[in-house]
Amino acid sequence: MNITIVLHQPQDLVNIGGVVRAMANMGLERLTVVDPAEFDPWRITGIAHRTEHIVEDARVAPTLEEALANATYVVGTSARPRTAQRNYRRPRDLAPRILRRAHDGEVAIVFGREDRGLSNEALDRCHEVLVIPTSPSHASLNLAQAVLLVAYELFLAGAAAPAELPTGKRSLGPATAAELEETYRALAAGLASIDFFKARKPESVMRVLRTIFGRTTLDAHEARLVRAIGYETRNRVERGDAAATDDTAGPREPLPPG
Ligand code: SAH
């Protein structure tokens, strides 16, 4: 299945063992570990027996950005909603969509470190954020148990789904996380060039835009169009009106960000 469990900076090997075991139990096989405190395949398979097929193929990535670059759908997880401007979902409601999106491209589900969870910056990279319902007085689950509950919902949703999901052929696949990040950089550059942010906080404006685009499914072509809007706006402002003559020819190659 095209679903990767991504652990961001896990601090405890025992938890990685617990995660791997939960994945094996629920039929998930792809693991990426980002900047772990330690990662020792031999000790992990000592904790979680018969999981070599997961641990030996696990990817260790230096940054979250690298881990997510090829993902076309990124789901974060959080013990509690922190800022209002996000797409929060329950695992049971989101599981069918996660499975559908795994047909189209690579889905990443991101879990945070044991002591701090995911930073706002990390959550900004997620199209939607899963919150597992809990007692309000103890919202924070153990990392491996959080993975187990999400994987369990995916397992149930997979069993309930018809064997062959209807898939409309798209002309272009969904945009990858790396393409979307470039699109957001271009939009921010365009908005800054027309002084749109003024008293607004760029970070909050961009978060709302990320939330909106996170709810839709931009394909690669659509992401490029939005990106061109951002860069063309900036280019036009930087060139001044006089130099901007022939704009009927469609978007030009955008300048690199900067
Ligand atoms: N002290 C941290 C908790 C980190 S728990 C905080 O309050 O944010 C480690 C990770 O387990 C979290 O980053 C998240 O990925 C997952 N997790 C824990 N409880 C969860 C919950 N109720 N819903 C969704 N994910 C949860």
Side-chain angles (χ1 to χ4, degrees):
M1 206 188 311
N2 215 353
I3 297 178
T4 303
I5 298 295
V6 178
L7 304 182
H8 189 231
Q9 300 179 330
Q11 299 298 298
D12 187 341
L13 206 70
V14 172
N15 283 334
I16 301 181
V19 166
V20 169
R21 181 180 191 145
M23 289 175 63
N25 289 141
M26 297 302 149
L28 296 176
E29 298 187 335
R30 295 191 189 192
L31 175 67
T32 298
V33 184
V34 180
D35 185 26
E38 56 178 334
F39 187 80
D40 179 342
W42 190 78
R43 282 177 57 207
I44 295 170
T45 48
I47 297 165
H49 299 282
R50 300 203 304 117
T51 57
E52 288 79 5
H53 62 297
I54 299 172
V55 178
E56 278 162 18
D57 288 346
R59 238 178 95 202
V60 179
T63 63
L64 191 59
E65 180 157 17
E66 260 178 64
L68 300 179
N70 293 323
T72 52
Y73 185 49
V74 182
V75 178
T77 53
S78 176
R80 54 181 78 76
R82 265 184 264 173
T83 101
Q85 308 146 317
R86 294 194 199 284
N87 299 315
Y88 293 106
R89 306 273 181 245
R90 296 295 192 206
R92 192 156 298 179
D93 301 330
L94 197 63
R97 186 185 308 165
I98 292 175
L99 295 178
R100 260 196 319 275
R101 295 297 304 260
H103 273 258
D104 279 355
E106 194 180 312
V107 174
I109 309 180
V110 190
F111 293 83
R113 60 184 271 177
E114 294 88 335
D115 48 352
R116 296 188 213 144
L118 291 170
S119 66
N120 263 325
E121 201 197 352
L123 287 169
D124 279 346
R125 294 182 179 276
C126 303
H127 299 130
E128 326 220 30
V129 177
L130 282 180
V131 180
I132 301 165
T134 57
S135 156
S137 57
H138 285 80
S140 176
L141 290 152
N142 164 269
L143 173 59
Q145 292 174 345
V147 171
L148 176 63
L149 288 175
V150 170
Y152 176 65
E153 290 296 339
L154 293 173
F155 186 78
L156 290 185
E164 206 42 57
L165 290 165
T167 52
K169 278 259 175 292
R170 305 172 72 100
S171 52
L172 273 175
T176 64
E179 287 166 338
L180 285 177
E181 287 306 316
E182 184 60 28
T183 297
Y184 295 135
R185 271 197 292 277
L187 267 185
L191 292 174
S193 74
I194 58 166
D195 205 15
F196 176 81
F197 294 120
K198 291 193 187 77
R200 302 178 178 101
K201 272 175 69 187
E203 190 189 316
S204 324
V205 172
M206 291 313 297
R207 186 163 295 144
V208 174
L209 290 175
R210 281 171 178 275
T211 303
I212 294 168
F213 286 121
R215 269 202 304 273
T216 72
T217 307
L218 290 184
D219 69 23
H221 174 76
E222 291 162 341
R224 276 204 291 273
L225 182 72
V226 176
R227 188 165 68 201
I229 292 172
Y231 283 142
E232 287 290 321
T233 304
R234 186 192 62 177
N235 294 352
R236 176 70 171 249
V237 170
E238 285 181 356
R239 279 198 311 267
D241 278 349
T245 44
D246 176 21
D247 272 1
T248 52
R252 276 180 288 278
E253 261 308 290
L255 290 178

